[in-house]
Amino acid sequence: MTNQSQTSFSETQKVWAEPFKIKMVELLKVTTLEERQQAIKNAGYNTFLLKSDDVYIDLLTDSGVGAMSDRQWAGMMMGDEAYAGSSNFYHMEKTIQDYYSYKYIVPTHQGRGAENILSQILVKPGDYVPGNMYFTTTRLHQELAGGTFVDVIIDEAHDPLSTHPFKGNVDLSKLDALVDKVGAEKIPYVCVATCVNMAGGQPISMGNLRELRVWCNNRNIRIVHDMTRVAENAYFIQQREQGYADKSVKEIVYELCALTDAATMSSNKDAMVNIGGFLAMNDEKFYDQACDLVVVYEGLHTYGGMAGRDMEALAIGITESVQDAHMQARVGQVEYLGNELAKRGVPIVLPIGGHAVFLDARAILPHIPQEQYPAQALAAALYVDAGVRVMERGAVSAGRNKQTSENYMPKLELVRLTLPRRVYTQAHMDVVVQSVCRVMEQADKIKGLRFASEPDVLRFFRGTFEEV
Ligand SMILES: *Cc1c(COP(=O)(O)O)cnc(C)c1O
C-alpha cells in the first residue's frame, strides 16, 4: 500500500515516477565481451578493482554516487573556504540540528572518520558493542579500539526468505543474554543502524527502537545511531508501521533520531553528496572529547575534512532527502528492479530493501561451496555479461575473526545491486534484469574462486582472486 495522503500523484499514475527532470547527462561507454573478460581478469575478479571507464551500469554502491540537484550545485558556488568558522559549517550544523535533533555536530571526511572518533572515545579494551548486524568499517573501528562486536538483530534478518517487515529490529532477549554474560558496565552503547545495510537494506520499527530506548535507560547504556540511511528507514515506517501513514518522512526521521543519544553519518548515502560525514551527539563532554580528536584525524572541528562547498551541498541535500516524493521514487525504483527479478524466478532477499536488491548467491550457484566465495564469483560473472558492476556481500566481506584467524561464514551469501540516487532510468533497470537472467541460465558454468592476495583488513576492497 502506498501512502496517498503524502503525495499529489493521482491514483492512475505510477506513484514512484521521478520528482525531477534531467538537466545534464553523462555519456556511458559500452565495452565488448572480450574487453570485459580481460578487465575482470586484470581486476583479480574483484569488482572494486575495475576501472569505472570499463563499467556500463555501475551498481557497486550508493555511496557518493548520487546526482546532486541544481540547488546543491548552486550551493557549491557559495562555498566559504575559510579554515575556521566557515558559514557553510553553521548552515550544515543548523540543518542537522533541525532535521536530525542532535545538539552537537563534528564534521568528518566520511562515515568511517566519525566511527573512528566515536570508537576511540567510547570503546575501552574488553568492552562489548552490540548492534543490529555488523557493518564492515563500523565493526573494524570497534575492534581496533579493543571492543568485540555482538550481533543482536532478530533471527529473521539472517533468513533471506523471511518476509518480516522490520528485519532490522533488535532482539532484546539477545541483549539481556549479553548483559547476563558480561555485565552492563562492559557495554558502552548499543549501535543501531537504520535500514540495515548488511541485512539487505531492512528497516527497524519505531516500536522496537522505543522498547530499546527503555531497555537502555534502565541500564544506563547509550544508543548510537548509524544514521546512514535514516530517511529510507523512515519511509518504510510510513508505509508499514501502524500510526505512521499520515506522518511525513521528515517527521519520522526526526522522531527516530530523537530516540538516540549520538549518531555517525555517512552523508554520501542518504544525503546525496559525493563525500562527507559527521559525528553528532547530545552530550557536551563527549562533544568536547570528539573536538579534541577530530583535529588529529580529520581537520579543525568546523570543517573536519570537508570543503566549505561540500558542507553547503550537504545542508541542502539533507532537506531534499526527507521529501516524501523523493523517497517514493528512490525506494520505488529499487522495488521495481527487485520485483522484475523476482517475477523471473531470481532468488532475492525479501522484502526488497531500501537502497539495493540482494541476490542469494548460494541459491543461484549451489555447486560452489561458501569457501569458494560464490557471491564474489557471481559478481564477476555479472560484470562480464553486460558490464553491470555489483558487489559481493558474503564471506569475503565478512573477513576473518581477529583472534582465531578463521573465516567468518555468514548465513547470508549475497550479491548487492545498489542503486545510486537519482542517477539511472527504468530502461537501465530493464538491462540489468535481462543480464541477471542470462547469467542465471548459465550459472553452472561459473567457477568458484580462491584468494590470490588477501589484505589483513577489509579484504573485500583490495583482495584479488583466481578461479579454482
Ligand atoms: C557506508 C556506510 C558506513 C561508512 O561510511 P563511509 O562514508 O563509507 O566511510 C557506515 N555504516 C553504514 C551502514 C554504511 O552503509
Side-chain angles (χ1 to χ4, degrees), residues 132-133 153-154 156-170 192-205 208 226 229-230 232-234 236-237 240 334-335 348-358 412 414 416:
N132 54 348
M133 210 173 260
I153 203 165
I154 57 173
E156 285 86 343
H158 292 282
D159 176 3
L161 294 179
S162 160
T163 55
H164 192 293
F166 291 104
K167 280 170 134 177
N169 280 357
V170 171
V192 171
T194 34
C195 245
V196 184
N197 191 349
M198 301 302 276
Q202 304 291 330
I204 179 172
S205 71
N208 183 251
D226 181 341
R229 295 183 181 81
V230 65
E232 287 164 12
N233 199 114
F236 284 125
I237 287 176
R240 296 176 188 169
V334 178
E335 285 177 341
I348 61 170
V349 176
L350 295 170
I352 296 163
H355 67 299
V357 175
F358 290 75
L412 300 179
L414 307 176
R416 189 180 80 180

Side-chain angles (χ1 to χ4, degrees), residues 205-265:
S205 71
M206 193 73 80
N208 183 251
L209 185 58
R210 251 191 245 114
E211 284 173 25
L212 179 67
R213 178 74 269 171
V214 173
W215 188 94
C216 285
N217 285 351
N218 291 339
R219 289 157 188 83
N220 213 8
I221 295 174
R222 283 191 178 91
I223 301 178
V224 175
H225 180 194
D226 181 341
M227 61 176 296
T228 298
R229 295 183 181 81
V230 65
E232 287 164 12
N233 199 114
Y235 176 72
F236 284 125
I237 287 176
Q238 184 193 62
Q239 300 299 307
R240 296 176 188 169
E241 192 162 353
Q242 219 188 350
Y244 285 91
D246 293 326
K247 291 215 163 128
S248 65
V249 168
K250 183 179 171 207
E251 289 168 318
I252 301 169
V253 163
Y254 191 92
E255 190 177 334
L256 281 167
C257 293
L259 282 168
T260 68
D261 301 294
T264 55
M265 175 63 159

Side-chain angles (χ1 to χ4, degrees), residues 110-112 115 135 137-138 197 226 228-229 266 268-269:
Q110 56 184 102
R112 70 199 68 182
E115 291 168 350
F135 184 74
T137 57
T138 318
N197 191 349
D226 181 341
T228 298
R229 295 183 181 81
S266 169
N268 27 307
K269 318 274 173 61

